Amino acid sequence: MENLELLEHTDTVNELLARYGVKFGIYKNNVFKEQLFPFDTIPRIIEKDEFDYLERGLKQRVVALNLFLKDIYSKKQIVKDGVVPEDFIFASSGYMVECEGVTPIKDIYSHISGIDLVKGKNGTWYILEDNLRVPSGASYPMIARGLCRRSSPDTFEDLKIEDNRNYAELLRRTMDNVNVGGHTVILTPGRFNAAYFEHSYLAEQTGAHLVNGSELTVKDDKLYFITADGKHERVGVVYRRISDEYLDPMNFNPESLIGIHHIYDVFKKGNVALLNAPGNGVADDKGIYYFVPKMIKYYLGEEPILSNAPTYLPFYDEDMTYVLEHFDDLVLKDVAEAGGYGVVFGNTMTKEQKKQFIELLKKEPRRFIAQEVIDFQDIDILEDGEKIPRKADLRAFVLMADEPLVWKSGLTRFSRNPDSFIVNSSQGGGFKDTWVLSQ
């Protein structure tokens, strides 16, 4: 696969992506700016056996996380049994007291999970982060694969690669599994959202209605879609791409202008399904991440198949001592930040910065985790016609339908900065297709 003719079409594919509006948006200094997500045609290739292993581990992890969410908003047995400290639940910015005692349809909280992994140079895969609220990114490899097939059909003629175009089918199956009767809609905040391209693309691919808050209304404890001619038609499931706090101004943030009044009340009565369920942020808090291997043992009675990155919680005195002694060898992460923000490497700080950070760490130990810096495998990218190595991660997508489903593809993101381990699009990274071999 080294001499893929596809590599000659890098510019063509990127031009087509630009023409189709495959962009993401970022706010900087309160100004919204759309930019292209650079695509690299050298694929990440994962052997079948290796992906089978990942698939088992990803299913195990997401099943345990769903059980944790059900427990934490009901009996809280894992807290009572001393496995997870109370402080890591109620102090989490993702914990929502409004979700107490509310169980989603079929007990599914995270219908679509984006699990970020890296592969170390030792060949071991490590999970870096769980994204259980509104994970994005599946649309990019979907459309890129299609454009690559169009640009270089010969490349794909004889290769045994899993077809990634079935993501829409998996997503539709996931939505249909919890539909209580009525339309399927994808709820977007609008075109100024960072992932608006994805919202519209997934709606097109799944046959769901793409709607904003003004097109939905609540009446008699049910949710309705307002058609173009003013009719009200029942909605059975909402794949919402709006953050929890903006979803319902009557139950959450009263200043929200993009939510639907009383949609959460309809959800609580079981009259509409919301994907993902509100309140999931308590399970993808970076502090809670530390406890996921313990959750797997606690809820499933199994050893974790996939490993966390070696992680320390300054909340514990023993871990705080270790972090202070090995500060220069660690990466520190603010548990409430995302998108590559709030990440600092100990060895890049000045003496004064280090002093200030340690003072903050001692003052707010629950706010941070520390991790060993994993030396992930470099993956080649094309730059000015030359192959050069760059750090890359993999966002795997796990969908919970009538059974857990792992998409045999994923979003491989890479850093365009040779000195950076941060691959997020908002930090200037690019993306690749992920080829899972079928034999």
Side-chain angles (χ1 to χ4, degrees):
M1 296 190 185
E2 283 298 312
N3 299 310
L4 294 177
E5 185 232 353
L6 175 61
L7 307 189
E8 299 170 13
H9 296 276
T10 297
D11 292 342
T12 303
V13 175
N14 274 286
E15 286 165 9
L16 288 169
L17 289 168
R19 188 184 305 171
Y20 283 105
V22 183
K23 300 176 181 179
F24 66 93
I26 56 173
Y27 282 93
K28 197 166 185 177
N29 301 322
N30 294 319
V31 175
F32 179 79
K33 180 184 176 184
E34 282 189 314
Q35 58 192 65
L36 296 173
F37 195 6
F39 176 67
D40 185 78
T41 48
I42 302 177
R44 162 177 246 154
I45 298 172
I46 303 178
E47 300 284 345
K48 182 184 185 302
D49 289 349
E50 186 171 24
F51 196 84
D52 288 347
Y53 160 77
L54 290 178
E55 185 175 22
R56 291 193 300 274
L58 290 164
K59 286 180 178 180
Q60 179 194 58
R61 191 174 182 96
V62 170
V63 167
L65 284 163
N66 269 283
L67 290 170
F68 169 74
L69 282 161
K70 181 182 179 182
D71 184 18
I72 223 60
Y73 285 119
S74 56
K75 296 179 181 179
K76 300 177 181 56
Q77 199 62 46
I78 198 168
V79 175
K80 294 173 184 174
D81 289 341
V83 179
V84 179
E86 224 175 33
D87 306 61
F88 277 83
I89 306 302
F90 304 119
S92 169
S93 61
Y95 168 75
M96 300 180 72
V97 68
E98 299 89 346
C99 299
E100 282 292 336
V102 180
T103 305
I105 293 158
K106 297 190 177 181
D107 293 349
I108 302 173
Y109 287 78
S110 187
H111 307 79
I112 301 106
S113 305
I115 311 297
D116 294 344
L117 308 98
V118 294
K119 187 176 184 180
K121 287 187 174 174
N122 61 358
T124 300
W125 284 91
Y126 296 95
I127 290 179
L128 286 188
E129 195 169 287
D130 304 295
N131 298 280
L132 311 179
R133 282 175 267 192
V134 192
S136 63
S139 62
Y140 297 108
M142 285 173 72
I143 193 168
R145 177 80 64 89
L147 295 176
C148 286
R149 284 179 177 276
R150 185 191 305 180
S151 301
S152 179
D154 291 346
T155 297
F156 296 87
E157 190 171 338
D158 299 317
L159 296 178
K160 305 299 182 184
I161 307 168
E162 294 286 354
D163 192 341
N164 79 345
R165 291 174 291 187
N166 70 333
Y167 184 80
E169 177 189 328
L170 299 180
L171 180 56
R172 187 75 208 201
R173 178 175 162 186
T174 301
M175 296 188 291
D176 289 347
N177 181 56
V178 289
N179 193 328
V180 298
H183 286 295
T184 298
V185 303
I186 295 180
L187 175 62
T188 177
R191 70 167 304 275
F192 292 111
N193 181 264
Y196 180 71
F197 162 76
E198 175 154 291
H199 307 166
S200 58
Y201 184 75
L202 291 178
E204 175 192 333
Q205 295 295 308
T206 60
H209 295 283
L210 181 68
V211 301
N212 57 45
S214 67
E215 295 172 283
L216 298 177
T217 189
V218 169
K219 183 180 178 182
D220 299 330
D221 293 327
K222 294 184 176 63
L223 183 69
Y224 292 91
F225 167 52
I226 305 170
T227 66
D229 57 3
K231 292 180 182 176
H232 287 195
E233 297 182 357
R234 178 85 184 273
V235 173
V237 59
V238 179
Y239 177 16
R240 49 98 181 195
R241 300 298 295 255
I242 291 179
S243 298
D244 289 354
E245 61 269 31
Y246 299 111
L247 184 61
D248 182 345
M250 302 305 292
N251 282 281
F252 306 126
N253 184 345
E255 296 182 3
S256 172
L257 300 177
I258 56 175
I260 300 97
H261 290 68
H262 296 295
I263 189 174
Y264 189 60
D265 298 311
V266 179
F267 169 72
K268 287 195 290 185
K269 291 178 183 295
N271 291 339
V272 74
L274 296 177
L275 284 66
N276 283 334
N280 281 7
V282 69
D284 69 11
D285 179 305
K286 290 183 177 66
I288 291 293
Y289 160 94
Y290 174 90
F291 297 98
V292 178
K294 297 176 186 288
M295 289 177 203
I296 292 170
K297 294 176 185 177
Y298 181 80
Y299 293 116
L300 304 179
E302 300 170 359
E303 289 298 318
I305 295 169
L306 293 170
S307 302
N308 276 11
T311 303
Y312 307 94
L313 294 185
F315 172 83
Y316 293 123
D317 290 341
E318 182 181 355
D319 283 16
M320 175 68 87
T321 300
Y322 183 90
V323 170
L324 296 179
E325 289 176 353
H326 300 84
F327 193 84
D328 286 354
D329 301 322
L330 302 172
V331 55
L332 292 302
K333 297 180 179 181
D334 188 320
V335 300
E337 295 282 1
Y341 295 100
V343 177
V344 291
F345 290 81
N347 61 6
T348 65
M349 295 187 196
T350 64
K351 190 174 182 180
E352 183 59 30
Q353 287 172 331
K354 196 179 299 184
K355 179 184 175 186
Q356 291 176 1
F357 191 94
I358 288 173
E359 287 175 1
L360 179 61
L361 186 65
K362 289 179 176 178
K363 184 180 176 183
E364 302 181 52
R366 167 64 178 86
R367 182 177 163 184
F368 299 95
I369 63 169
Q371 292 180 325
E372 303 286 352
V373 180
I374 296 173
D375 191 8
F376 13 132
Q377 282 186 1
D378 293 310
I379 292 182
D380 282 342
I381 69 167
L382 280 179
E383 191 169 284
D384 298 326
E386 298 291 325
K387 289 185 181 181
I388 54 174
R390 288 290 183 269
K391 300 300 181 189
D393 76 351
L394 171 66
R395 174 164 291 181
F397 291 88
V398 185
L399 295 90
M400 286 290 288
D402 49 318
E403 61 177 328
L405 310 166
V406 179
W407 185 34
K408 295 187 189 305
S409 184
L411 176 66
T412 291
R413 300 174 295 181
F414 62 87
S415 171
R416 291 193 289 164
N417 179 344
D419 301 317
S420 177
F421 283 71
I422 298 176
V423 300
N424 305 71
S425 55
S426 55
Q427 305 292 310
F431 80 103
K432 292 172 169 288
D433 193 1
T434 304
W435 291 4
V436 177
L437 302 186
S438 57
Q439 62 178 42

